[in-house]
Amino acid sequence: MGGVVDAKSGDDADFGSEETEGKHTEYLSRARRHLSVEYISHVFIVNEIDGKKDIEFFDKMDAYYKPNENLVIWYVDALAMLLEMALTANLRNELQRLC
């Protein structure tokens, strides 16, 4: 099970201006209440990032994460490639089953 809660639509993900308490702590709180899973990932899909600001954001959020929670930042191109590989494998398996 998975979901994307915050996709950054700008050219650069401005992690420096992201508030941790409130918006993102609420995302975590909702995930904890509504998901019956072993691990929770706080996921961002971005076009580009400022390498230092994402680390600063993680450092601020780290106080709110439980041991089974983490931060994941995906470049949209990397996510698209991963999904394409997964879908291709699934389609290939399905075609082999039909033959």
Side-chain angles (χ1 to χ4, degrees), residues 6-24:
D6 199 345
K8 296 298 174 197
S9 58
D11 287 337
D12 292 325
D14 189 9
F15 285 104
S17 68
E18 285 290 324
E19 293 295 326
T20 54
E21 197 156 351
K23 177 180 170 183
H24 293 286

Side-chain angles (χ1 to χ4, degrees), residues 8-44:
K8 296 298 174 197
S9 58
D11 287 337
D12 292 325
D14 189 9
F15 285 104
S17 68
E18 285 290 324
E19 293 295 326
T20 54
E21 197 156 351
K23 177 180 170 183
H24 293 286
T25 55
E26 179 58 26
Y27 289 153
L28 289 173
S29 179
R30 277 191 258 161
R32 291 173 189 140
R33 281 193 312 265
H34 299 292
L35 298 175
S36 178
V37 294
E38 190 173 345
Y39 296 99
I40 294 176
S41 292
H42 186 202
V43 179
F44 290 86

Side-chain angles (χ1 to χ4, degrees), residues 40-97:
I40 294 176
S41 292
H42 186 202
V43 179
F44 290 86
I45 311 300
V46 300
N47 293 318
E48 294 182 27
I49 57 174
D50 176 346
K52 191 171 184 176
K53 296 293 184 190
D54 59 331
I55 294 170
E56 290 173 8
F57 177 75
F58 170 78
D59 287 342
K60 289 192 293 186
M61 282 300 301
D62 194 39
Y64 300 103
Y65 293 137
K66 292 183 177 182
N68 66 331
E69 298 172 343
N70 61 6
L71 172 69
V72 177
I73 301 174
W74 279 97
Y75 283 106
V76 68
D77 293 340
L79 179 60
M81 189 180 342
L82 182 68
L83 289 172
E84 183 178 345
M85 289 183 341
L87 291 173
T88 299
N90 286 341
L91 289 173
R92 186 173 43 244
N93 290 342
E94 199 59 34
L95 288 173
Q96 287 175 346
R97 256 185 11 158

